[in-house]
Amino acid sequence: MSLSATTAPPSPAAPPSPDVDARRRRGRLLNRFDVKYSPYFYIAPFFLIFGAFGLYPMVRTAWMSLHDWDMIGDHTFIGFDNYTRLFSDEYFWNALVNTFGIFALSTIPQLLLALFLANLLNRTFLRAKTFFRMAIFMPNVVSVAAVAIVFGMLFQREFGLFNWLLSFVGVDPVDWDGQRWSSWFAISTMVNWRWTGYNTLILLAGMQAIPKDLYEAAAIDGASQWRQFWQITLPMLKPTFIFVVILSTIGGMQLFTEPLLFANGNILGGSQREFQTLAMYMYEMGISNLNTAGYGAAVAWAIFMIIVVVSLFNFLLVRRSAK
């Protein structure tokens, strides 16, 4: 008798029970829902926080800027009168000049020094790199209040260290917080000391992402260290440098804490507003004076537009110079 004749045919598979089939459909539905909608749940916290603490304050400030807004309760719609008032406000233009002056004295030297230090820390011959990278970031960790106290003592007129050093070269004591240029220099020194290390580490991270093969090939071709820096490092570092420039621009245009503490809490920035910045003037109009909150909101939006314009200008300038 053949084997095929003795082998029983396989029995058909039993159909799945209704419970098993329902679980499979539910599983496919949940999997489809997870793939399609779960990313939105992951990013939802950011948008909720941004909407509550970013977007809503911006919209609210824009609405306030169109009113003669009194914090006590009077809200009269005046259109763009607050913005036209800016053009004839000498205090606003004074704050604008002070902001740009401190910005120029702090941001430009800060970026150049950060670029130099990042290039130095990226060298292979430097020992104890981790120590120097930690040390250069320490000023940013220190409380800004402590920084202001220390620099306020250094720039004292009678017993300050800087005036004591200037006395050795025959320079009379400088009233650092009583004149425009001297106060700009003092505040810029404080800002540079705090933020140079921060920008240095960002630029250093960008430099370490540059392939080492490019430097090895350039060295074989006889390129000097200086030529490698100009022909390899700077062009490859352009995206990171643009990011640092824009970040420094935003911070420089919003400068508030350092000049406020340098003035010992005087929101006017000196007796004659020698170093009052736009952020300080916005605080004066929008918060210190309760009946000019609408005008303070207009100053806030003016700062925003100035930051956009200056950041765009710096972006185009750096992008063109790096070609």
Side-chain angles (χ1 to χ4, degrees):
M1 185 179 290
S2 64
L3 183 62
S4 60
T6 60
T7 304
S11 59
S17 63
D19 293 339
V20 174
D21 190 55
R23 284 197 299 267
R24 288 178 180 175
R25 288 197 302 269
R26 187 165 54 251
R28 288 193 296 268
L29 181 62
L30 290 175
N31 182 62
R32 190 181 303 112
F33 180 84
D34 180 66
V35 172
K36 190 173 183 179
Y37 297 105
S38 61
Y40 296 99
F41 286 97
Y42 297 147
I43 64 175
F46 164 77
F47 286 101
L48 291 176
I49 295 175
F50 173 75
F53 299 101
L55 183 61
Y56 172 74
M58 291 180 63
V59 175
R60 178 74 172 180
T61 303
W63 178 251
M64 290 175 60
S65 68
L66 302 177
H67 293 74
D68 183 8
W69 197 283
D70 193 333
M71 297 297 288
I72 298 177
D74 294 335
H75 309 149
T76 305
F77 183 80
I78 57 175
F80 292 95
D81 289 354
N82 283 326
Y83 293 96
T84 57
R85 176 183 170 186
L86 292 174
F87 293 98
S88 59
D89 186 358
E90 59 177 341
Y91 292 151
F92 171 79
W93 291 104
N94 174 75
L96 181 65
V97 172
N98 289 336
T99 302
F100 274 101
I102 299 174
F103 169 77
L105 291 178
S106 59
T107 303
I108 297 175
Q110 178 187 142
L111 293 179
L112 294 178
L113 183 59
L115 187 62
F116 169 77
L117 293 175
N119 188 55
L120 183 63
L121 292 175
N122 196 40
R123 296 297 180 182
T124 56
F125 60 81
L126 185 65
R127 296 183 178 182
K129 292 182 179 180
T130 303
F131 170 77
F132 287 110
R133 291 171 185 176
M134 293 177 58
I136 204 170
F137 189 70
M138 286 302 296
N140 191 258
V141 180
V142 178
S143 170
V144 63
V147 174
I149 292 173
V150 171
F151 276 86
M153 297 175 63
L154 294 176
F155 285 104
Q156 281 185 351
R157 176 180 173 84
E158 301 299 334
F159 306 103
L161 176 63
F162 289 106
N163 278 340
W164 178 72
L165 293 175
L166 291 176
S167 65
F168 287 100
V169 294
V171 178
D172 295 332
V174 178
D175 188 9
W176 295 101
D177 59 352
Q179 303 175 14
R180 168 169 285 185
W181 283 99
S182 59
S183 60
W184 287 1
F185 177 80
I187 297 171
S188 301
T189 304
M190 190 189 315
V191 174
N192 288 333
W193 188 83
R194 284 197 66 215
W195 293 103
T196 298
Y198 178 83
N199 291 327
T200 298
L201 293 184
I202 297 178
L203 293 175
L204 177 61
M207 289 181 181
Q208 290 183 336
I210 301 176
K212 302 300 180 183
D213 299 342
L214 298 177
Y215 295 102
E216 294 174 358
I220 294 175
D221 291 339
S224 62
Q225 295 286 343
W226 181 252
R227 188 171 183 181
Q228 292 179 27
F229 176 77
W230 281 101
Q231 299 296 327
I232 299 177
T233 304
L234 277 185
M236 298 293 291
L237 195 65
K238 183 177 69 173
T240 306
F241 194 72
I242 290 176
F243 170 76
V244 171
V245 168
I246 295 177
L247 203 66
S248 301
T249 301
I250 296 173
M253 292 291 101
Q254 293 178 336
L255 196 62
F256 178 79
T257 307
E258 288 86 351
L260 180 65
L261 294 177
F262 185 74
N264 297 319
N266 182 13
I267 198 65
L268 298 180
S271 59
Q272 301 296 325
R273 301 176 183 262
E274 291 89 353
F275 52 94
Q276 185 186 47
T277 61
L278 284 174
M280 295 172 68
Y281 186 61
M282 177 196 67
Y283 187 93
E284 178 191 357
M285 292 290 102
I287 298 178
S288 297
N289 299 330
L290 298 180
N291 57 345
T292 58
Y295 185 65
V299 175
W301 267 95
I303 295 175
F304 174 76
M305 297 306 300
I306 292 172
I307 290 175
V308 171
V309 172
V310 176
S311 299
L312 181 61
F313 173 78
N314 287 338
F315 169 76
L316 296 176
L317 180 64
V318 174
R319 185 180 180 182
R320 183 176 181 179
S321 60
K323 290 182 178 181

